[in-house]
């Protein structure tokens, strides 16, 4: 308007040499404004109200909701104990931000506090080398983290973060990812914070195309690797035809397809046993869809710019994890599925050839080793001193004994404990068929234990107890364990008795076979079983009282030779318990060291070899357990031979003491081996 008045017809008269912008400054300003406006790109209507980052498309949201996972966590006990079941749920990470119980610490040391209650915007700056720190000590967690997580997440639903992402080079594939965040990882490698995920791959180039096709395959993260399932596999359970069922393992939150205990035995898989079995509770988490492009998700979810760790900084396996944006699969999901996914996870076998399986031993030893490592890191001084003392004791014991074997048939020769072991090994090498044949008892015995447990819990009234109480119930578990333990002790006693009887026959010059040794011992079987029953009942009764536990240990050593006594002496009318106590009188410590050291080593060796096979090879678990059983079958008779030599050494000392006291011959119940 002003411009037309100044330069158009009807405007004010001007001097011929005078410029219009000098006489009409308002018009000049208007012209400049018009030029500037013309240079600014046009903005669609309503865009002034939109956020700076683009939201996920409608197709992405629809796809994420259609395939949203169903999460089944281990049920917690009624009393809420955090040591059983799964106390942690996937949470909305926003509960961590602006929270005065959460600290942001810098990279220069683990104690320097940068900010209390950091915001999501603060984390968006990257902050590589920084870490979040929650209240508690991951090396001594107790129930603190579980209680804290429950308190701060109250009122917010369990949440899973979904994202649709493609990868350059794979235009015909698209991945739908679901990310889970847990406040604490309570497994062999305790640490604050835990990111896990699952991924579904579609033969499509976009979310819109994916809505019209079925997925090709699914991958469940398990520590540093993942397990694949083709869409439609029997192991992949679906709800409503599209929603995959996920079984996070208790504590570790590794994701599995079934309700079992799984064996992880590599650096990528993790090391230990993941328990995804037992009763469970079902969650259908809220789905928060993340935009695909970085510029967009940094606006809607700024915390995804954080390059630090989502938990307290620690050394080694106890360190908090980095976030999803730092993972290989965040930007290269298809390559990740091709390079890191495997076809199956191995579950722990439910039955074995022997009472002690390599797989069970592996689970327990890794857990015990992790616990020792955790305690050593938390209290390095006391644990280091204890380990050093054990090493010194072991070295001292080995150096203080003699190892040169003596004559295998000379039962009256005094022997140091090292010579008892070496002579037992020599006799095994001389008569392998005899003593390995005796040790083979453990194979049918293991099958018998498995069969009896099956009959009791599947074909009798106890089946109802199992269904009502659950397989992980303490009463049911104790009953099953007691059955196995009773027959394992009986089998060990029978092997010790048969070995001692075989040695007696060899020394006497009579022919002996494994079956003949067992037949001869079974003639005294009533005496052996009665003595074992009395010993077991009294041990159980005494061990229930902490006050009487020392008495139980004392009697356990005094009675430890009862099976050898039956094999070497037969039924003499003297109780094997009483006879064993007579022999060990005055030599309690020596007998304790031999029984615990030699028998314990024999029971340890088979599963230990199997555990090494699990770690170093890809052999199937059944094969590994068979290897462990073979070692077990050989090691237990050697231990029984060593105890037999110990028995004869103690008997010779007893006879010498009686002779010095003026009593000729052996005491009542003793025998003379020719």
């Amino acid at each position: 308007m002003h411009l037309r008045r100044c330069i158009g017809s009807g405007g004010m008269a001007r001097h011929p040499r005078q410029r219009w912008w000098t006489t009409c400054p308002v018009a000049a300003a208007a012209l400049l404004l018009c030029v500037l406006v013309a240079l600014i790109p046009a903005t669609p209507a309503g865009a002034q109200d939109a956020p700076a980052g683009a939201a996920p498309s409608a197709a992405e949201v629809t796809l994420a909701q259609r395939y949203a996972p169903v999460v089944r966590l281990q049920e917690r006990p009624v009393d809420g104990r955090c040591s059983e079941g799964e106390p942690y749920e996937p949470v909305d990470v926003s509960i961590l931000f602006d929270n005065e119980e959460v600290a942001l610490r810098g990279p220069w040391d683990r104690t320097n506090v940068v900010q209390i209650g950091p915001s999501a915007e603060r984390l968006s700056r990257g902050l590589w080398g920084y870490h979040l720190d929650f209240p508690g000590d991951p090396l001594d967690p107790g129930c603190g983290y579980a209680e804290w997580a429950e308190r701060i997440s109250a009122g917010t639903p369990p949440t899973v973060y979904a994202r649709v992402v493609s990868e350059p080079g794979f235009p015909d594939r698209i991945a739908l990812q679901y990310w889970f965040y847990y406040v604490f990882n309570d497994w062999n490698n305790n640490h604050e914070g835990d990111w896990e995920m699952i991924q579904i791959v579609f033969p499509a180039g976009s979310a819109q195309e994916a809505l019209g096709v079925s997925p090709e395959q699914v991958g469940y993260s398990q520590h540093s690797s993942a397990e694949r399932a083709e869409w439609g596999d029997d192991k992949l359970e679906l709800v409503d035809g599209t929603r995959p069922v996920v079984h996070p393992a208790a504590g570790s939150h590794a994701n599995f397809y079934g309700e079992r205990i799984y064996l992880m035995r590599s650096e990528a898989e993790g090391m230990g046993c993941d328990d995804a079995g037992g009763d469970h509770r079902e969650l259908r988490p809220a789905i928060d869809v993340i935009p695909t492009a970085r510029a967009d998700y940094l606006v809607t979810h700024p915390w995804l710019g954080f390059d630090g760790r989502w938990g307290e900084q620690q050394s080694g396996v106890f360190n908090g994890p980095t976030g999803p944006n730092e993972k290989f699969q965040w930007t290269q999901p298809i390559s990740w599925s091709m390079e890191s996914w495997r076809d199956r996870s191995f579950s722990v076998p439910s039955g074995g050839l022997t009472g002690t399986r390599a797989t069970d031993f592996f689970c327990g030893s890794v857990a015990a080793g992790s616990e020792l490592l955790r305690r050593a890191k938390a209290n390095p001084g006391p644990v280091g001193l204890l380990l050093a003392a054990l090493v010194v004791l072991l070295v001292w014991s080995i150096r203080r004994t003699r190892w040169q074997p003596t004559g295998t048939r000379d039962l009256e020769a005094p022997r140091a404990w090292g010579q008892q072991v070496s002579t037992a090994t020599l006799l095994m090498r001389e008569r392998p068929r005899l003593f390995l044949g005796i040790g083979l008892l453990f194979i049918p015995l293991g099958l018998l234990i498995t069969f009896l447990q099956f009959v009791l819990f599947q074909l009798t009234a106890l089946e109802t107890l199992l269904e009502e109480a659950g397989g992980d119930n303490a009463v049911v578990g104790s009953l099953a364990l007691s059955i196995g333990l009773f027959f394992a002790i009986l089998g060990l006693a029978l092997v010790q008795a048969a070995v001692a009887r075989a040695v007696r026959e060899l020394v006497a010059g009579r022919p002996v076979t494994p079956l003949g040794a067992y037949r001869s011992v079974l003639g005294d079987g009533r005496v052996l079983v009665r003595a074992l029953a009395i010993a077991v009942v009294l041990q159980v009764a005494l061990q229930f009282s902490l006050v009487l536990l020392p008495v139980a240990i004392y009697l356990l050593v005094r009675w430890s030779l009862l099976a050898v006594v039956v094999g070497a002496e037969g039924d003499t009318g003297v109780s094997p318990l009483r006879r064993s106590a007579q022999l060990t009188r005055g030599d309690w410590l020596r007998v304790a060291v031999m029984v615990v050291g030699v028998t314990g080593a024999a029971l340890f060796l088979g599963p230990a070899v199997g555990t090494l096979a699990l770690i170093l090879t890809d052999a199937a678990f059944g094969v590994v357990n068979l290897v462990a059983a073979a070692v077990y079958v050989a090691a237990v008779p050697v231990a029984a031979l060593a105890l037999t030599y110990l028995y004869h050494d103690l008997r010779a000392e007893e006879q010498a003491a009686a002779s010095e006291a003026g009593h000729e011959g052996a005491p009542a119940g003793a025998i003379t081996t020719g």
Side-chain angles (χ1 to χ4, degrees), residues 316-397:
V317 298
F318 304 108
N319 208 1
T322 54
N325 53 302
E326 294 290 304
K327 309 299 185 188
F328 174 59
Q329 61 264 41
W330 184 256
T331 55
Q332 302 182 65
I334 309 303
S335 296
W336 177 64
S337 68
M338 298 170 65
E339 297 174 11
S340 300
W341 292 8
R342 48 188 163 71
D343 292 329
R344 61 173 298 190
S345 294
F346 294 94
S347 59
V348 176
S350 58
L353 293 176
T354 63
T356 303
R357 301 189 302 271
T359 44
D360 291 340
F361 182 84
F362 175 81
C363 296
S365 60
V366 171
S370 300
E371 177 69 9
L372 180 62
L373 178 61
R374 183 181 65 79
R375 290 185 179 275
K377 183 170 175 55
N379 300 287
V383 175
L385 289 175
L386 176 61
L387 292 177
L390 291 175
V391 171
V392 169
L393 179 62
L394 178 62
V395 172
W396 179 83
S397 300

Side-chain angles (χ1 to χ4, degrees), residues 424-572:
T425 305
L426 180 60
L427 183 55
M428 168 66 83
R429 291 170 57 187
E430 291 178 357
R431 301 295 298 266
R433 295 179 62 181
L434 171 61
F435 294 107
L436 287 177
I438 292 175
L440 284 173
L441 170 72
F442 281 101
I443 291 181
L445 185 64
L447 295 175
L448 176 63
I449 293 171
T450 302
F451 174 74
L452 288 177
Q453 290 175 338
F454 171 79
V455 170
L456 287 173
F457 289 103
Q458 301 296 331
L459 303 180
T460 68
L462 290 178
E463 179 182 9
T464 305
L465 172 64
L466 182 64
E467 292 176 351
E468 294 180 355
D472 293 334
N473 181 269
V475 175
V476 176
S478 297
L479 183 57
L481 178 63
S482 298
I483 294 171
L485 186 60
F486 172 78
F487 282 98
I489 293 174
L490 178 60
L492 181 62
L494 284 173
V495 168
Q496 290 177 344
V499 165
R501 184 64 54 88
V503 170
R504 188 180 79 171
E505 298 302 302
L506 284 175
V507 172
R510 293 187 287 267
V512 59
T513 64
L515 187 58
Y518 276 120
R519 284 177 176 170
S520 178
V521 166
L522 289 177
D524 302 318
R526 184 171 56 182
V527 176
L528 177 62
V529 171
R530 183 169 61 242
L532 271 178
I534 294 172
V536 169
V537 170
L538 287 177
Q539 281 291 313
V540 171
L542 291 172
Q543 290 181 26
F544 266 114
S545 171
L546 293 178
V547 177
L548 297 178
L549 183 59
V551 178
I553 296 173
Y554 174 77
L555 291 178
L556 182 63
V557 174
R558 291 291 302 274
W559 296 337
S560 59
L561 296 180
L562 70 90
V564 178
V565 166
V566 171
E569 300 182 1
D571 184 2
T572 62

Side-chain angles (χ1 to χ4, degrees), residues 3-25:
L3 187 59
R4 284 198 297 269
R5 282 204 301 266
C6 291
I7 64 175
S9 60
M12 294 178 60
R14 302 188 306 276
H15 189 279
R17 301 181 65 86
Q18 188 178 20
R19 304 301 183 189
W20 64 269
W21 54 79
T22 63
T23 60
C24 195

Side-chain angles (χ1 to χ4, degrees), residues 23 40 44 178 189 275 284 322 413 420 431 465 488 504 512 560 571 579 605 615 633 638 660 667:
T23 60
I40 299 175
Y178 296 93
N189 55 335
D275 186 0
R284 302 200 177 196
T322 54
Q420 291 167 354
R431 301 295 298 266
L465 172 64
R504 188 180 79 171
V512 59
S560 59
D571 184 2
R579 182 74 182 114
L605 187 59
I615 297 173
V633 163
V638 171
E660 290 177 3

